[in-house]
Amino acid sequence: MTVVDTGSRYDRLIQPDRVHGSLYTDPSVYADELERIWYRTWVYIGHESEVPEPNDYVVKPMGPQSVIMTRDKQGQVHLLLNRCSHRANLVCEDERGNSSALRCHYHGWTFANDGRLLGYPFMQGYGGPEAKKELGLGRVARMESYRGFVFGSFAAEGPTLREHLGAATEAFDRLCRLSPEGEVQLTAGWLKHKVRANWKMLLENETDGYHPQFVHSSIFEVGQSGIGDLYSDKSLAVSRDLGDGHTENDLRPEFRRIGKPLGWFGTTEDRLPDYVRRMREVHGPGAEEILIDGSPHVMVFPNLFIAEIQLFVLQPLAVDETVQHVTAVQFAGAPDLNRRMLQQTIGSVGPAGFLLADDSEMYERNQRGVQARTPEWLQIKRGMHRERLDENGHTIGYATDEVPLRGIWRHYRQLMTEERPA
Amino acid sequence: MTASTDVAIDLRTAEQFLYREARLADDHDYDGWEALWTDDAVYWIPAGGMSAVDPTTQVSIAFDNRSRIHTRVAQLKSGKRHSQSPPSSVRRLVTNVEVMGTDDAGDTCVGANFLAVEARERGTTVWAGRAEYRLRLVDGEIRLAWKKVTLVDRDRALPTLSFLI
């Protein structure tokens, strides 16, 4: 591989108040991103609740690749690559299942679900059983999990997952504490929605508080939803740069102003009496703050969007093609809330969703628009003059300000330019 | 469902209804399309995996009760449903129509295959699958009580699907 001076290139293309259009269209930028982001930093893979039983497995996206997340018979989770160590055929065709072994159907090689090669036909052809030890399945170099959320990194060395998550760690805690049992369960299956757009269009939009009033005005009006008001100029909600590329629309100031349990979910406690009772049993007086504050709206760089009642996983497939995988959040011990979250998710997201069909239309129009040669730049400076620091030292702005965009690009530029081990 | 020749709605009449429903959807005649549904209607587009079996625990592409059908139509009519503004150009074929029997509620169960071609700025998309209907006579008119659209590629990543399929 030739060594290119990528540093000065990305310093030129990413400026504090604007970014260059070629970042969304240039295949060589996408190739750099694969090496410097998707095959290097921590990437969200899946949740432990998706492989609840010994020998369960599920195939999950990791950037443009897919990996097999398995649970072996001792209960340990593994991230294996779907590539036979012999001739690179697939070892797993089903999206999920339960099996102690994975078999390549090309020449009959069989692997344990912890990646070890168990055997192949006509053993002497490779000089006997000793050869087996070096021919296990490839694995994601590092795997760590937090609150059941499993991440992988192809880099053998680097920051720990906790270091990577940084200030976004708290978002996982805030999500999980909405379960009376403190656990998220991803059991509702996935919608897979494909767009002809660069993955960063999606990454940026997830915490863009400026667009909802315009892109989603149709459903806010028809559904008499108060969501639009959360993203108005008068909203107390704040946009936040959590650092490390993680960003947030913090809606809590508005929910606290309204001060009603489950107001964040657009409902009232009398509609979910069992859930509210259980939360008060578990948390006592502390339940009120949890029930008022609600669920986070946090984009965990580069691919996990905690979208209050949904989780999105972004999967880039090409410079102009991205799949958004989305599921409904389900909480252990909250069947009545889970039913409503599932039905709201079905209504809102996916290819026919009241919200996401229109977001996705915007992604695709953006991708066509950015082909135009002038102006070459995209603006990210809204609210730059009124940024301030919160009590934790994070940069915040108005609900509609582009603080999150600037946070994303600052981190992106660092990843794309920093010196790294050869 | 019982397989029976003694159904409330015969094949020829059912076919004519299916073609009309398809034409109203293709023409973006939103009010006409919405008027076909009964008050207890369900409009269901399962996603992949177990979604086609249990829409109460698994995500679907759409799982609309009557109220949500109305919301969907009202959003389309708002002029600000960007993914259908401008609307897709759509034409569909409805074929292999069979009357399958009568369900417990007395509705006539009809099955068909469909092929829809959607053209818009994004490109041309072919949608195909199985459509199942439950039809009911209400005051002498056929109404649609239930429709399930099972796409052949429901397990795959799908582009935006915001026209009425």
Side-chain angles (χ1 to χ4, degrees), chain B residues 3-23:
Chain B
S4 166
T5 52
D6 186 24
V7 290
I9 298 164
D10 66 31
L11 175 63
R12 182 70 179 152
T13 310
E15 275 181 343
Q16 291 299 308
F17 180 86
L18 267 47
Y19 299 158
R20 184 151 62 98
E21 192 257 343
R23 173 170 48 78

Side-chain angles (χ1 to χ4, degrees), chain A residues 188 192-194 343 351 358, chain B residues 58-59 68 83 155 158 160-161:
Chain A
K192 292 181 279 190
H193 186 182
K194 182 165 63 176
Q343 293 310 324
D358 291 336
Chain B
Q58 300 294 300
V59 288
R68 195 171 276 179
S83 52
D155 282 315
L158 298 172
T160 295
L161 171 57

Side-chain angles (χ1 to χ4, degrees), chain A residues 188-246:
Chain A
W190 294 83
L191 294 168
K192 292 181 279 190
H193 186 182
K194 182 165 63 176
V195 291
R196 294 201 59 79
N198 184 267
W199 65 278
K200 299 186 296 298
M201 300 281 188
L202 287 70
L203 170 71
E204 294 177 285
N205 186 63
E206 310 300 21
T207 47
D208 171 59
Y210 198 13
H211 81 281
Q213 292 246 19
F214 310 102
V215 175
H216 305 306
S217 62
S218 62
I219 194 61
F220 293 161
E221 285 168 25
V222 169
Q224 297 174 329
S225 162
I227 297 174
D229 295 336
L230 299 171
Y231 298 101
S232 73
D233 233 11
K234 298 191 182 74
S235 172
L236 300 177
V238 298
S239 54
R240 179 175 288 118
D241 170 9
L242 291 165
D244 305 297
H246 314 310

